[in-house]
Each structure stands twice: as C-alpha cells, then as structure tokens.
Amino acid sequence: MKKSIGDNMIPKEWGFDRGLALAKKAGYDGIELWLGATPWFQLETSDADVRELRRKVDDAGLLVSNVSNSLDWDRPLSSRDPRVREQAMRHLTRQIETAQILGTDAILVVAGIVTEETPYQEVYPRTVEALKKLAETAARARVKIGCENCCSEQRFLMSPREFKLFLDDVASPWVGLHLDVGNIHDTGFPEQWIEIHGPRITRVHVKDVMRHRGRCGNESVYTNLFLGDNNWKAIREAFGKVGYDGWIIAEMEARYRFAQDQQFHDTAVAMDRFISGRL
Amino acid sequence: MAAAPCLTCVLPESREGFQRALLGRDTPGVLVLPGAAGWDASIASRVRNGQLVILESAGGFTGTRAFEEQRAGLRADFELALEPPVRLWSETGRPPYLDLAWPQRAQVRDFSFAVPVRGGETIGRLGALPVAALQRVGAGALLVLGSPIGPALGSGDPQAYAWLSAVLTGRGCSGTPARGRPRRDTASRGRG
C-alpha cells in the first residue's frame, strides 16, 4: 500500500510547494489533488499550469495518487436542472483530463445527492445515465472513476449491496468505488464493504468515525485514525483478503488548531501502523 | 409521440418519461410537448382542428426570452396567463404535491419550479397556486402543465401514469400504457 494525503489539508497560507515538502518529509508517497478546493487547482487552471503542478509533485519526490473534486456538492450529476447537470459533466470531464496530465489513473466523484427536493427515485436513474456517458470518456483516457460512498451526506446508496447493484447498472469497468472507510457511520461496517466490492475499489480514503456522535450541529463525527469506532484490524484484514494493495489517502475533517504540520506527521505514522497490520 | 414543430425541449428526461408512458399506445389527435420552451404558432391551429395538445412548460428551467415567447403565445392564442416561475422550495417550506383534479384525481411530486397558469379551467394546483389548465377551443383543447410530470412518469409514478392514461382514454386513445416500465429499458430512449 502507498500513503497519500489531500492537498486540501495544506493550510492555504502555506502554498503548494511548502505543502508538498511537508508531505514528503512526513513520509507520504503521494498527494491527492482536489479540483476546486485550493487556489492552485481550479477549473480555470490551464493545462500548462496543471503540468507545472505535476512538475512540482515530481520534484518533491511524490506521485499524484488521484484527483478529487469539491464541486459535486453544488453541481451534482443528479440535479433536476439539466443546466446544472451539464456543469457537472464539464467539471468531471476536466477532472479526467487533469488526471491524465498529472499521471494518475483515478478520480473521485460524489455521484448522486438525494435531498428533500430531489428524491431518490429521480437521483438513481439520472446518476446511472450520467455515469454511463462519463465512463466512455474515462475509458478513452484510461482513468477510473471512483464513486465515493458519502452514504450519510448523500443519503444515497446506503448499503454495500445497494452500491454494488448501482455499479452493476452502470456496467463499466471504468466506474468503481472510491471507498471512504470513515463514511459508513452506524449504517454498516467498512470491512464488509471491502469484501463485497474487492476489485472494484479504485482508491481508499481513511479517517475514523465516532458513531455515537452523528451529525450534531458543528460537531464533527470524524476523528483521527484509531480514535473512533472503526475496527481497523478487521479493515486491514479485509484489504488483505481482497488483495487491495493500492493507495490509501488521509482525509481528515477535523484539523489541528495548533502545529498544523504535526497532523501530517501523526497521520502518516498511524497509516504506517495500519499498513503494517500491527494493530 | 408526435414531434413538436418548433418548440425546444429543455427537460430531456421529461421527454423520456412521456415516451416511456406512451410506448405501445395509439394516440391519434394528441400532441405532447414535454419540457417545452418557447412557442409555436401552429399550436393554435392544431387545437382548432381538433387536436389535444399537452404543453408541459419548462418555464423554471429556461431563459427569460423563451419564457416570454411562451407567455405571449398563450395569451394571444388561448387567453391563458402564465406567471413567472415560482421556486417552490425554500428554507422554511416544502411544497405539497401537484394536485391534478381532471380527468381524475392524482397527486404527483413537484419539480422544484412551477409556472402558475390563470384562465381556462384550472385542473391542477400546487397548494393555492393554479399550475395546470385546460382551455377548450373548437373541437380541440390545450392542456398546460406548469409543473412537469414527465420526470415522475420516467420514474414510474403510478398516479402520474393513471392520470395520463385517463387523459388519453378521454380522447379515445387505445392501448395499454407502459406503466412501471423499468428505467433501464432504453428501447424508446431518444434525444433531440
């Protein structure tokens, strides 16, 4: 397994270069780039500037693990408004293009968001249809689309079995699961998702979750590795069983209030323990 | 489904919903304009000549110009008044269902925006808002839907199917509606 961390964890005032240096120093193998989340990587960022980002990553001795985006929540593929859906297709197509430039073969998509206003029975077929189209672009680029399981936030595809049927309906080897082991909350167990999805897992986000907390106002349900309720030993064993040996990517919601660089180091050490299986 | 002369459909899934619902039905004398933006002058002559035209307005999902064209056409040719699209969802309120009262009662979920329609015979309301109207002219009629039902047809809403079926049966259309057809059946899917 290889370790990565999101560039959205880099304090904005630090800038990309200093963030890369910190990631390297902390022992990461790669960096996850978030389209739309940082000043250095926006939809308007030109191909030349994306190539420059890649050069900086290379020079830092890192790889780009994958490209994620922060735009799906406001411009979902499942919107009722066809104009919003077009915007979503545009940013996801750009995400695929930039993944190619950055030398990685995976993107993260939050596919389908159920709300009171946009009901499940509409979101499902709309999302399947959109992903079928996007899969053609992904296949040409040889970039895999990983649909993230943001179960509680999306209110969509809440169980691993349901997610499997969804991927079956999309029916493309270029569309799989970007598994976030912290996002399952009290609706299931990540180790079971791993066993069910196995080779369809494109990338893995890691964070821990405090199931008892739920979403209480501004209090985050997420926490640092090993502080929450995930059964990390079972998760590690499940990855071993299905033969997942790819990227694991730190995605911490709560940030250190002081000594922010320390969170990079502490998380990297915890990820090493997880990878080693000494739990 | 008969093709629209010049109107643009800006809600492709509405078109797909109607196509799916009308699959296998013989619908002579009926023209459905799903997710329609703009206006076409031939609508008036079609209605005068005995056709039933079902115009599903996409007012909430189109630009001002297309909406104003549609509004002017409906006013001039049918004495129906479209009001600006109403955003149905707000922080404090959730909308009721679209209540259709003719030719049979049906409740269909809203579609975020609705265009109030005044004049003719009000056949559908969202709360207090009149959003569906029937205007009979000569041997024909124009049925204006200010709140789209095509997406509900597409996802298999039984009441939407029953309502459409009743409208068509009233026009002497025959055949069995393709109610509840799974979405993945793409035999009739088409765009453009």
Side-chain angles (χ1 to χ4, degrees):
Chain A
M1 284 182 174
K2 287 178 285 192
K3 300 195 299 291
S4 177
I5 190 165
D7 70 342
N8 58 349
M9 294 281 297
I10 300 171
K12 298 291 183 292
E13 63 277 15
W14 281 28
F16 191 53
D17 297 12
R18 190 175 165 195
L20 290 175
L22 171 61
K24 180 66 180 175
K25 188 179 172 190
Y28 293 94
D29 305 293
I31 191 95
E32 172 185 47
L33 295 190
W34 280 84
L35 182 63
T38 62
W40 49 82
F41 191 31
Q42 293 289 314
L43 267 184
E44 301 74 27
T45 305
S46 67
D47 284 359
D49 288 337
V50 175
R51 279 193 289 274
E52 179 63 9
L53 292 177
R54 180 175 179 177
R55 185 193 63 73
K56 289 181 176 183
V57 173
D58 290 345
D59 288 352
L62 296 168
L63 296 167
V64 175
S65 59
N66 63 304
V67 177
S68 295
N69 84 73
S70 60
L71 307 168
D72 289 332
W73 296 99
D74 290 333
R75 304 171 196 169
L77 278 176
S78 56
S79 169
R80 283 180 154 181
D81 189 336
R83 294 167 297 187
V84 175
R85 296 203 296 273
E86 277 180 27
Q87 289 177 337
M89 290 300 276
R90 276 201 292 276
H91 78 242
L92 293 169
T93 302
R94 181 61 180 157
Q95 211 180 332
I96 292 170
E97 290 168 359
T98 58
Q100 273 193 303
I101 297 170
L102 291 163
T104 183
D105 65 354
I107 67 165
L108 174 151
V109 174
V110 176
I113 299 169
V114 173
T115 65
E116 271 194 294
E117 181 175 6
T118 312
Y120 203 114
Q121 60 266 46
E122 289 177 21
V123 168
Y124 191 95
R126 226 177 254 150
T127 309
V128 168
E129 188 178 341
L131 282 170
K132 279 176 179 283
K133 280 185 201 148
L134 209 57
E136 295 169 12
T137 309
R140 284 194 296 274
R142 306 198 71 74
V143 170
K144 287 203 171 186
I145 298 168
C147 302
E148 189 179 18
N149 59 309
C150 299
C151 316
S152 296
E153 285 86 354
Q154 284 173 288
R155 294 170 174 87
F156 186 50
L157 307 177
M158 300 294 285
S159 81
R161 172 79 177 147
E162 192 181 2
F163 210 112
K164 180 180 181 300
L165 292 174
F166 170 75
L167 292 178
D168 288 347
D169 282 344
V170 175
S172 168
W174 296 97
V175 180
L177 166 65
H178 181 120
L179 178 68
D180 189 320
V181 298
N183 278 353
I184 295 160
H185 297 203
D186 57 357
T187 63
F189 303 89
E191 56 272 25
Q192 296 173 18
W193 281 70
I194 294 164
E195 285 202 35
I196 287 170
H197 288 280
R200 274 175 160 167
I201 298 172
T202 58
R203 295 289 189 269
V204 175
H205 268 160
V206 290
K207 59 179 175 264
D208 217 333
V209 60
M210 290 179 285
R211 292 177 181 168
H212 65 281
R213 203 179 256 185
R215 279 274 179 193
C216 304
N218 292 325
E219 191 177 26
S220 175
V221 69
Y222 302 116
T223 186
N224 286 3
L225 302 190
F226 310 150
L227 280 172
D229 295 317
N230 270 344
N231 183 340
W232 290 98
K233 188 172 173 56
I235 292 170
R236 184 67 189 93
E237 286 173 0
F239 279 132
K241 177 179 173 181
V242 303
Y244 182 83
D245 196 30
W247 287 98
I248 57 169
I249 304 146
E251 191 195 33
M252 303 296 121
E253 184 174 88
R255 307 290 161 83
Y256 285 14
R257 289 179 60 211
F258 302 98
Q260 290 180 325
D261 57 318
Q262 190 61 39
Q263 191 167 19
F264 279 64
H265 292 285
D266 293 347
T267 304
V269 170
M271 290 167 83
D272 283 336
R273 275 299 283 268
F274 172 72
I275 292 170
S276 74
R278 290 182 291 112
L279 297 163
Chain B
M1 177 166 40
C6 288
L7 295 186
T8 303
C9 173
V10 297
L11 294 173
E13 63 186 340
S14 230
R15 185 209 312 275
E16 290 168 17
F18 274 103
Q19 281 177 333
R20 204 160 275 118
L22 296 175
L23 197 64
R25 288 205 74 136
D26 194 16
T27 56
V30 178
L31 174 68
V32 182
L33 302 170
W39 184 249
D40 189 282
S42 72
I43 293 173
S45 57
R46 285 169 181 269
V47 171
R48 276 196 302 274
N49 292 333
Q51 278 199 312
L52 168 66
V53 176
I54 301 175
L55 186 145
E56 184 191 61
S57 175
F61 295 93
T62 190
T64 307
R65 185 175 167 183
F67 174 74
E68 289 300 336
E69 276 178 18
Q70 194 168 88
R71 189 184 210 180
L74 283 167
R75 185 188 300 121
D77 294 342
F78 292 96
E79 296 178 345
L80 292 174
L82 280 193
E83 292 179 2
V86 175
R87 183 95 175 86
L88 296 170
W89 285 77
S90 67
E91 293 282 325
T92 52
R94 52 183 301 173
Y97 284 103
L98 163 63
D99 274 309
L100 291 163
W102 177 93
Q104 67 177 46
R105 298 200 71 86
Q107 287 193 315
V108 180
R109 66 177 182 268
D110 76 284
F111 203 69
S112 301
F113 286 97
V115 179
V117 194
R118 297 189 191 276
E121 179 186 345
T122 295
I123 61 159
R125 292 179 182 276
L126 265 160
L129 281 180
V131 294
L134 183 72
Q135 185 70 295
R136 299 173 202 272
V137 179
L142 175 71
L143 198 165
V144 180
L145 293 168
S147 178
I149 69 161
L153 291 167
S155 57
D157 184 303
Q159 290 198 23
Y161 269 88
W163 178 83
L164 182 62
S165 184
V167 171
L168 297 176
T169 302
R171 294 294 297 182
C173 301
S174 62
T176 306
R179 174 177 159 178
R181 189 174 297 274
R183 179 78 179 199
R184 72 184 68 172
D185 176 358
T186 57
S188 66
R189 187 168 296 177
R191 291 184 177 280

